């Protein structure tokens, strides 16, 4: 009742709708609780207290009286925007409360295997990888846990259940005590840092990871793996050519749509051993967000069929780079050979590559890259204009570029006497020397 005896309504919310309960309704619920707990003949003060202290009555009172006050007066952080927010709260709680959160709230109990899996999930680029560590709860009966941290009582309320259509997951963190406001502000900053890591740090980390699908004669099925593009890679010596390639590939879909010219972009990289030709292809895959299909002349047909099968019936096509390393092993000048059988097989493989570069199998979703140490050995028909759109000679690094490589490895040019080297220098040779040098320093 209100101050003058009027009937007062208290709001409380559930997940579906906002509901209202009057003081009369509240009294009715309490009366039902008493009647269910005791018979009128046995009604005592102790029995009434027992009924009022029952879980159902406490829940009703909490929803009607306590929750509205808590939202207004108690510092609280809630997951309000889906899985990203839950991930950020869980990540921030892991950083802030450590084992208390992991053991007492998540129930990992310091199990080494689970701990490792959980920490790996924190580094994942998918927020959903971490939120599935929330324990399942019954609908309407959230999990509640309390931990004590730096003079502050921290209250967790978690809901994680499967309804008719989807998983419902939420987490709320409330702070009690004289230091509650300060603790909430610190937690909020940590949460924002975790969101920034999710949006930027993880994105940068996984940007350097590329998918590689390998086809070879020893396996009937393609082998899937990942490869990382190291932060130490220097592309300054071919930066202009790479930028041109990236711009051309990015516009290929637009050109296809406007002019109905569906052409694969071809790139031939040639130069001495160890100059980083394959690494440059991995760099392009990273920048363009493409999967590398690593193949040989012998398995080219299988690789192309695989790519076409992936596209078939898919409205959202994947984008690939078909990489043929050491192309001079097979696609050599046939005029220099008198082996008719070998020439016949080579002709089939060469025709397949022609069709992929500028023929019936051309596709703007497919980019073709090839590497060779001996461009002079290649079939002239393969390197004529119109086949490979870009031919880049990769000769190695000059002194200035090599000095930048040293900086990436935290080594000064003076330490390895770089000025005494013969230039251009192969990136692979320079990197190997630097790593050996650093190993000696660490010893």
């Amino acid at each position: 009742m209100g101050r003058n005896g009027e009937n007062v309504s208290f709001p409380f919310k559930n997940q579906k709708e906002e509901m209202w309960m009057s003081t009369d309704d509240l009294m009715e619920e309490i009366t039902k609780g008493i009647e269910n707990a005791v018979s009128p003949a046995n009604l005592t003060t102790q029995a009434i207290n027992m009924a009022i202290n029952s879980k159902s009555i406490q829940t009703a009172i909490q929803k009607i009286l306590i929750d509205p006050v808590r939202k207004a007066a108690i510092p609280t952080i809630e997951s309000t925007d889906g899985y990203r927010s839950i991930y950020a709260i869980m990540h921030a709680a892991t950083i802030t409360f450590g084992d208390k959160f992991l053991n007492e709230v998540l129930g990992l109990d310091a199990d080494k295997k689970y701990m490792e899996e959980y920490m790996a999930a924190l580094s994942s680029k998918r927020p959903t990888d971490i939120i599935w560590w929330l324990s399942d709860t019954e609908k309407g009966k959230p999990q509640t846990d309390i931990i004590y941290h730096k003079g502050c009582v921290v209250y967790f309320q978690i809901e994680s259940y499967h309804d008719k259509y989807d998983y419902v997951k939420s987490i709320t963190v409330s702070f009690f005590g004289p230091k509650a406001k300060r603790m909430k502000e610190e937690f909020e900053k940590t949460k924002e840092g975790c969101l920034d890591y999710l949006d930027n740090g993880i994105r940068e980390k996984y940007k350097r990871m590329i998918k590689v699908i390998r086809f070879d004669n020893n396996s009937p099925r393609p082998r899937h793996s990942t490869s990382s593009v190291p932060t130490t890679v220097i592309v300054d010596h071919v930066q202009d050519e790479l930028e041109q390639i990236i711009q051309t590939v990015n516009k290929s879909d637009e050109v296809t749509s406007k002019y109905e010219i569906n052409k694969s972009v071809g790139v031939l990289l040639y130069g001495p051993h160890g100059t980083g030709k394959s690494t440059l292809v991995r760099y392009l895959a990273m920048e363009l967000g493409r999967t590398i299909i690593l193949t040989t002349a012998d398995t080219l047909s299988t690789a192309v069929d695989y790519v076409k099968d992936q596209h078939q019936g898919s409205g959202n096509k994947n984008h690939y780079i078909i990489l043929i390393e050491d192309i001079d092993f097979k696609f050599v000048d046939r005029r220099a050979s008198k082996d008719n059988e070998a020439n016949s097989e080579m002709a089939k493989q060469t025709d397949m590559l022609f069709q992929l570069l500028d023929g019936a199998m051309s596709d703007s979703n497919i980019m073709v890259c090839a590497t060779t140490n001996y461009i002079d050995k290649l079939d002239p028909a393969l390197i004529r204009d119109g086949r490979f759109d870009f031919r880049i000679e990769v000769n190695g690094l000059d002194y200035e570029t090599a000095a930048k490589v040293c900086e990436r490895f935290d080594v000064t040019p003076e330490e390895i006497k770089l000025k005494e080297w013969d230039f251009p220098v192969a990136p692979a040779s320079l990197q190997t020397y630097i790593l050996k040098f650093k190993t000696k320093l660490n010893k």
Side-chain angles (χ1 to χ4, degrees):
M1 290 290 181
R3 187 173 297 176
N4 298 318
E6 71 274 16
N7 192 26
V8 179
S9 294
F10 295 93
F12 70 93
K13 294 182 179 181
N14 62 15
Q15 291 185 335
K16 298 293 184 182
E17 58 184 342
E18 184 171 310
M19 300 179 64
W20 295 82
M21 181 177 282
S22 67
T23 49
D24 287 343
D25 294 330
L26 177 58
M27 290 303 299
E28 183 179 346
E29 289 296 320
I30 294 176
T31 301
K32 286 180 182 178
I34 294 173
E35 290 175 348
N36 292 332
V38 296
S39 65
N42 296 325
L43 188 60
T44 64
T45 303
Q46 184 179 4
I48 293 174
N49 288 335
M50 182 177 67
I52 293 177
N53 288 330
S54 69
K55 188 68 174 177
S56 59
I57 300 302
Q58 285 182 354
T59 301
I61 293 174
Q62 178 176 338
K63 287 185 176 180
I64 297 165
L65 300 175
I66 298 177
D67 285 354
V69 175
R70 187 180 71 179
K71 290 181 179 179
I74 298 175
T76 299
I77 295 175
E78 298 178 281
S79 54
T80 56
D81 59 349
Y83 290 170
R84 288 178 72 259
S85 181
I86 300 173
Y87 164 87
I89 290 175
M90 292 180 68
H91 200 161
T94 303
I95 294 172
T96 306
F97 309 123
D99 289 344
K100 291 180 182 178
F101 174 72
L102 297 175
N103 297 331
E104 299 175 32
V105 179
L106 296 186
L108 299 185
D109 299 323
D111 185 289
K112 184 178 180 181
K113 177 184 176 183
Y114 285 144
M115 285 291 187
E116 289 176 353
E117 291 177 355
Y118 176 81
M119 299 310 291
L122 280 180
S123 300
S124 170
K125 60 182 176 181
R126 296 182 298 272
T128 51
D129 283 358
I130 187 66
I131 66 170
W132 298 115
W133 288 82
L134 295 176
S135 300
D136 291 337
T137 62
E138 291 185 47
K139 185 176 181 179
K141 297 181 179 179
Q143 170 192 338
T144 58
D145 297 281
I146 295 175
I147 61 176
Y148 187 75
H149 183 76
K150 293 183 178 179
C152 183
V153 176
V154 186
Y155 174 82
F156 291 88
Q157 181 171 298
I158 297 169
E159 289 190 279
S160 178
Y161 62 87
H162 186 263
D163 68 4
K164 186 175 180 181
Y165 301 105
D166 195 8
Y167 278 98
V168 175
K169 291 181 180 286
S170 67
I171 183 169
T172 302
V173 186
S174 301
F175 304 86
F176 299 84
K179 298 181 180 180
K181 184 177 180 181
R182 182 186 302 174
M183 178 63 68
K184 189 253 186 180
E185 291 174 352
E186 292 178 4
F187 191 88
E188 192 75 57
K189 287 181 181 179
T190 305
K191 176 192 169 187
E192 292 303 315
C194 293
L195 282 174
D196 181 67
Y197 173 69
L198 180 64
D199 293 337
N200 300 305
I202 289 182
R203 183 182 303 167
E204 179 61 27
K205 174 184 175 181
Y206 280 90
K207 176 187 176 183
R208 309 195 77 86
M209 296 294 293
I210 58 174
K211 186 176 180 180
V212 179
I213 303 175
R214 175 189 290 272
F215 288 84
D216 58 49
N217 294 323
N218 298 322
S219 176
R221 295 182 179 180
R223 298 177 181 178
H224 295 253
S225 62
T226 57
S227 177
S228 62
V229 181
T231 56
T232 52
V233 168
I234 294 288
V235 297
D236 297 41
H237 54 308
V238 288
Q239 187 67 62
D240 292 341
E241 292 93 335
L242 295 181
E243 288 297 328
Q244 279 188 306
I245 293 170
I246 292 169
Q247 290 177 16
T248 301
V249 172
N250 285 335
K251 289 182 178 180
S252 59
D253 285 338
E254 179 185 334
V255 172
T256 298
S257 176
K258 186 174 182 179
Y259 300 105
E260 297 185 356
I261 300 175
N262 201 14
K263 184 186 181 306
S264 306
V265 174
V267 178
L268 176 64
L269 299 164
Y270 64 97
H273 292 281
T275 50
K277 297 181 288 297
S278 297
T279 301
L280 293 178
V281 177
R282 287 159 57 200
Y283 175 85
L284 286 171
M286 176 187 74
E287 291 295 317
L288 294 167
R290 294 195 168 216
T291 296
I292 290 181
I293 304 290
L294 186 57
T295 184
T296 64
D298 294 330
T299 58
L300 179 59
S301 177
T302 305
V304 172
D305 288 342
Y306 172 86
V307 171
K308 295 294 183 181
D309 288 343
Q310 296 299 305
H311 285 182
Q312 192 172 14
S314 173
N316 208 356
K317 293 185 176 182
N318 294 318
H319 292 70
Y320 297 95
I321 293 178
I322 293 181
L323 172 58
I324 312 170
E325 291 189 307
D326 298 319
I327 196 173
D328 50 89
F329 281 4
K330 283 287 184 177
F331 297 99
V332 296
D333 190 344
R334 287 167 286 171
R335 296 172 300 179
S337 173
K338 296 181 180 181
D339 187 339
N340 293 330
E341 184 176 347
N343 280 342
S344 176
E345 181 62 28
M346 194 188 309
K348 292 178 184 178
Q349 295 168 342
T350 304
D351 183 62
M352 168 70 73
L353 186 53
F354 290 168
Q355 292 299 319
L356 189 59
L357 286 168
D358 62 355
M361 290 188 292
S362 288
D363 192 326
S364 60
N365 294 294
I366 301 173
M367 179 178 171
V368 181
C369 290
T371 66
T372 178
N373 300 322
Y374 309 102
I375 191 172
D376 295 337
K377 291 184 178 181
L378 295 180
D379 191 319
L382 184 62
I383 57 176
R384 72 166 175 80
D385 291 339
R387 292 275 157 75
F388 283 105
D389 304 277
F390 298 92
R391 287 175 293 194
I392 303 175
E393 185 175 11
V394 186
N395 280 323
L397 311 178
D398 57 20
Y399 175 82
E400 288 73 17
T401 310
K404 290 183 180 180
V405 174
C406 294
E407 292 174 7
R408 295 283 175 92
F409 283 97
D410 298 318
V411 171
T412 66
E414 291 74 22
E415 285 179 297
I416 63 169
K417 300 179 180 180
L418 187 62
K419 287 188 176 181
E420 299 178 11
W421 290 49
D422 294 327
F423 293 95
V425 61
S429 300
L430 177 60
Q431 178 174 305
T432 300
Y433 185 88
I434 291 175
L435 291 176
K436 289 181 178 179
F437 175 79
K438 291 182 72 68
T439 300
K440 290 180 180 178
L441 285 181
N442 292 333
K443 287 182 179 180

